[in-house]
Amino acid sequence: MKIEVLPFAPERRADFYAVHSDAHGCGWCNCVAWWTPTWDSWADRSAADNRALRESLLAQDQYDGYLLYVDDAPAGWCQTGPRDRLTKLAAAHDLARDPAAWAVSCLLIAPAWRGRGLARALLTGVIDDLRGRGVQRVEAFPRRGDALPAEEVWTGPERLFLALGFLPERVGERRTVMALRL
């Protein structure tokens, strides 16, 4: 199995949409949850609303993450970027502004590829690239617990972040704020 992790870029736009497709059961969100102003009426948004918001982000050059490829086919996604650009994320976790902090705010492995260690490969590739770019701090916001259904771990599984060296900074009832110093 050939595994590659590449930064999201205009030439990979179709691959982003392939991962976020109805064929994978992932066609509704288009990874815009943290880009909406509030959670109010989030559940009322349509796939078309979310795709339109994603398109507007791409038009603003917000290629905010990494794609995972298995044997040259898109198989996963990790939304990653400067944390403070996601004001809803910062507000949800009551985080003070920190221009140096980056956030892993979404982690998705297409259902057909789950259970093969690919989330670890994806996150390891993201961390390696961020380190190479001079990023010094990465934060994550996983849902707490081990036996959660896949739709509840869209910010990544807590045990994965722990295994890769992230340390809990604030443990909440449902979510943990974790950080990794690079």
Side-chain angles (χ1 to χ4, degrees):
M1 209 168 39
K2 176 184 158 194
I3 297 172
E4 235 180 335
V5 176
L6 299 172
F8 189 24
E11 65 272 14
R12 297 185 188 99
R13 188 181 196 142
D15 294 341
F16 171 88
Y17 286 119
V19 171
H20 294 86
S21 72
D22 288 335
H24 293 302
C26 307
W28 177 74
C29 179
N30 285 291
C31 206
V32 298
W34 293 118
W35 289 99
T36 62
T38 70
W39 288 115
D40 298 338
S41 70
W42 169 250
D44 298 331
R45 294 178 62 86
S46 68
D49 293 334
N50 293 336
R51 176 134 182 174
L53 178 51
R54 174 52 61 185
E55 286 293 322
S56 75
L57 292 167
L58 298 179
Q60 298 168 48
D61 245 4
Q62 286 289 350
Y63 288 86
D64 57 340
Y66 294 81
L67 288 158
L68 169 76
Y69 293 85
V70 177
D71 295 332
D72 299 319
W77 161 254
C78 181
Q79 184 178 57
T80 308
R83 186 202 65 203
D84 289 348
R85 81 201 192 298
L86 299 173
T87 56
K88 183 166 101 177
L89 175 75
H93 297 287
D94 195 29
L95 302 170
R97 287 191 48 77
D98 182 354
W102 280 55
V104 171
S105 49
C106 181
L107 191 65
L108 169 67
I109 302 298
W113 292 103
R114 291 180 184 157
R116 301 179 196 192
L118 293 172
R120 184 183 187 108
L122 174 54
L123 193 53
T124 298
V126 168
I127 291 167
D128 289 347
D129 187 69
L130 294 177
R131 184 177 283 118
R133 294 170 57 189
V135 173
Q136 295 180 9
R137 178 181 166 81
V138 181
E139 295 176 346
F141 311 89
R143 175 90 186 270
R144 297 194 65 215
D146 287 327
L148 299 169
E151 61 272 9
E152 292 292 324
V153 292
W154 58 275
T155 54
E158 184 177 37
R159 69 186 174 282
L160 173 62
F161 292 107
L162 288 169
L164 292 176
F166 282 75
L167 298 174
E169 290 197 332
R170 187 179 322 144
V171 178
E173 186 177 315
R174 294 190 61 197
R175 295 211 179 267
T176 300
V177 176
M178 305 183 90
L180 176 67
R181 296 224 178 261
L182 303 178

